[in-house]
Amino acid sequence: MSVVDRLDIASNIRDYSVMFVDEFSKPVFDEFLAATPHFIIDQTFCNLYNDQLKGALQPKKHLIIEATEQHKTLAYLETTIKLLLNNGIKRGDKLVAVGGGIIQDIT
């Protein structure tokens, strides 16, 4: 993974990091896959890198979402949370956003 920049965020709930990469390849996910996190992935990103994503993501460990302003609502967030719960997400699991600002906001 070629990390261009890493931003560490201090939060009242839990600290987290945002990493910006300049290119995508399957090894980008290696660090995260070891912890079996759940991914929320931008549909456009998924379309662009479909071949690299095949086989890298576990079933029920990722959601593919169209990154639109219309999806930044409480109703859509409720749907997303229900899907994550149905897919087995637990309190201590990692949730990884793959995409831009809208995907990060939803995540």
Side-chain angles (χ1 to χ4, degrees):
M1 171 169 51
S2 178
V3 176
V4 173
D5 207 354
R6 178 185 174 123
L7 180 62
D8 294 317
I9 308 293
S11 169
N12 290 338
I13 299 170
R14 183 179 306 162
D15 295 350
Y16 62 96
S17 298
V18 177
M19 289 180 280
F20 302 91
V21 299
D22 61 357
E23 61 185 58
F24 173 79
S25 63
K26 186 180 175 300
V28 168
F29 287 116
D30 287 347
E31 176 184 343
F32 298 112
L33 290 172
T36 62
H38 293 259
F39 291 90
I40 295 183
I41 304 172
D42 178 9
Q43 176 69 56
T44 302
F45 179 91
C46 188
N47 291 343
L48 288 170
Y49 297 102
N50 188 45
D51 290 340
Q52 292 92 328
L53 291 171
K54 284 182 184 174
L57 299 172
Q58 295 180 7
K60 294 194 168 195
K61 291 289 188 173
H62 65 280
L63 298 176
I64 298 170
I65 296 176
E66 186 179 0
T68 64
E69 288 292 329
Q70 292 80 13
H71 285 160
K72 288 174 49 175
T73 66
L74 288 176
Y76 191 80
L77 185 57
E78 180 180 3
T79 300
T80 303
I81 291 168
K82 286 179 181 178
L83 287 169
L84 288 167
L85 290 171
N86 288 339
N87 287 346
I89 196 166
K90 302 291 184 221
R91 175 179 282 218
D93 289 352
K94 285 186 178 186
L95 187 57
V96 177
V98 179
I102 292 174
I103 294 299
Q104 292 175 17
D105 290 347
I106 292 170
T107 305

Coordinates of all heavy atoms in Angstrom, one line a residue, residues 21 23-25 28-29 41-50 53 65 98-100:
V21 N -4.5 6.9 0.0 CA -3.5 6.2 -0.9 C -3.5 6.7 -2.3 O -4.6 7.2 -2.7 CB -3.8 4.6 -0.9 CG1 -3.7 4.0 0.5 CG2 -5.2 4.4 -1.4
E23 N -2.8 4.8 -5.0 CA -3.1 3.8 -6.0 C -3.8 2.6 -5.2 O -3.6 2.5 -4.0 CB -1.8 3.3 -6.7 CG -0.8 2.7 -5.8 CD 0.5 2.3 -6.5 OE1 1.1 3.2 -7.1 OE2 0.8 1.1 -6.4
F24 N -4.5 1.9 -6.0 CA -5.2 0.7 -5.3 C -4.7 -0.6 -5.9 O -4.6 -0.7 -7.1 CB -6.7 0.8 -5.5 CG -7.4 -0.4 -5.1 CD1 -7.7 -0.6 -3.7 CD2 -7.8 -1.4 -5.9 CE1 -8.3 -1.7 -3.2 CE2 -8.4 -2.5 -5.5 CZ -8.7 -2.7 -4.1
S25 N -4.5 -1.5 -5.1 CA -4.3 -2.9 -5.5 C -4.7 -3.8 -4.3 O -5.0 -3.3 -3.2 CB -2.8 -3.1 -5.8 OG -2.0 -2.9 -4.6
V28 N -3.6 -3.5 -0.7 CA -4.1 -2.3 0.1 C -5.0 -2.8 1.3 O -4.9 -2.3 2.4 CB -5.0 -1.4 -0.8 CG1 -5.7 -0.4 0.1 CG2 -4.1 -0.7 -1.8
F29 N -5.7 -3.9 1.1 CA -6.6 -4.4 2.1 C -5.9 -5.4 3.1 O -6.5 -5.8 4.1 CB -7.8 -5.1 1.5 CG -8.8 -4.2 0.8 CD1 -9.0 -4.2 -0.5 CD2 -9.5 -3.3 1.6 CE1 -9.9 -3.4 -1.1 CE2 -10.4 -2.4 1.1 CZ -10.6 -2.5 -0.3
I41 N -18.2 0.4 1.0 CA -17.4 0.7 -0.3 C -18.3 1.5 -1.2 O -19.5 1.2 -1.5 CB -17.0 -0.6 -0.9 CG1 -16.1 -1.4 0.0 CG2 -16.2 -0.3 -2.2 CD1 -15.8 -2.8 -0.5
D42 N -17.7 2.6 -1.8 CA -18.4 3.4 -2.8 C -18.6 2.5 -4.1 O -17.7 1.9 -4.5 CB -17.5 4.6 -3.1 CG -18.0 5.5 -4.2 OD1 -19.2 5.3 -4.6 OD2 -17.2 6.4 -4.6
Q43 N -19.8 2.6 -4.6 CA -20.2 1.8 -5.8 C -19.3 2.2 -7.0 O -18.8 1.3 -7.7 CB -21.6 2.1 -6.2 CG -22.1 1.4 -7.4 CD -22.2 -0.1 -7.3 OE1 -22.9 -0.5 -6.4 NE2 -21.5 -0.8 -8.1
T44 N -18.9 3.5 -7.2 CA -18.1 3.8 -8.3 C -16.7 3.2 -8.1 O -16.1 2.7 -9.1 CB -17.9 5.4 -8.3 OG1 -19.3 5.9 -8.5 CG2 -17.1 5.8 -9.5
F45 N -16.1 3.2 -6.9 CA -14.8 2.6 -6.6 C -14.9 1.1 -6.9 O -14.0 0.6 -7.6 CB -14.5 2.8 -5.1 CG -13.2 2.2 -4.8 CD1 -12.0 2.9 -4.9 CD2 -13.1 0.9 -4.3 CE1 -10.8 2.3 -4.5 CE2 -11.9 0.3 -3.9 CZ -10.7 1.0 -4.1
C46 N -16.0 0.5 -6.5 CA -16.2 -0.9 -6.7 C -16.2 -1.2 -8.2 O -15.6 -2.2 -8.7 CB -17.5 -1.4 -6.0 SG -17.7 -3.2 -6.1
N47 N -16.9 -0.4 -9.0 CA -17.0 -0.6 -10.4 C -15.6 -0.5 -11.1 O -15.2 -1.2 -12.0 CB -17.9 0.4 -11.1 CG -19.4 0.1 -10.7 OD1 -19.7 -0.9 -10.3 ND2 -20.2 1.1 -10.9
L48 N -14.8 0.5 -10.6 CA -13.5 0.7 -11.2 C -12.5 -0.4 -10.8 O -11.6 -0.7 -11.6 CB -12.9 2.1 -10.7 CG -13.5 3.3 -11.2 CD1 -13.0 4.6 -10.4 CD2 -13.2 3.5 -12.7
Y49 N -12.6 -0.9 -9.6 CA -11.6 -1.9 -9.1 C -12.2 -3.3 -8.9 O -11.8 -4.0 -8.1 CB -10.9 -1.4 -7.9 CG -10.1 -0.1 -8.2 CD1 -10.6 1.1 -7.8 CD2 -8.9 -0.2 -8.8 CE1 -9.9 2.2 -8.1 CE2 -8.2 0.9 -9.1 CZ -8.7 2.2 -8.7 OH -8.0 3.3 -9.0
N50 N -13.3 -3.6 -9.6 CA -14.0 -4.9 -9.4 C -13.1 -6.1 -9.5 O -13.1 -7.0 -8.7 CB -15.1 -5.0 -10.5 CG -16.0 -6.2 -10.2 OD1 -16.4 -6.4 -9.0 ND2 -16.3 -6.9 -11.2
L53 N -11.0 -6.4 -6.4 CA -11.8 -6.7 -5.2 C -12.3 -8.2 -5.2 O -12.5 -8.7 -4.1 CB -13.0 -5.8 -5.1 CG -12.6 -4.3 -4.8 CD1 -13.9 -3.5 -4.9 CD2 -12.1 -4.2 -3.4
I65 N -22.3 0.9 -1.5 CA -23.2 2.0 -1.5 C -23.0 3.0 -2.5 O -21.8 3.4 -2.8 CB -23.2 2.7 -0.1 CG1 -23.6 1.7 1.0 CG2 -24.0 3.9 0.0 CD1 -23.4 2.2 2.4
V98 N -14.3 2.9 2.3 CA -13.5 2.9 1.1 C -14.2 3.8 0.1 O -15.2 3.4 -0.5 CB -13.3 1.5 0.5 CG1 -12.4 1.5 -0.8 CG2 -12.7 0.5 1.5
G99 N -13.7 5.0 -0.1 CA -14.3 6.0 -0.9 C -14.0 7.4 -0.4 O -13.1 7.6 0.4
G100 N -14.8 8.3 -0.9 CA -14.6 9.7 -0.5 C -15.4 10.1 0.7 O -15.8 9.3 1.5

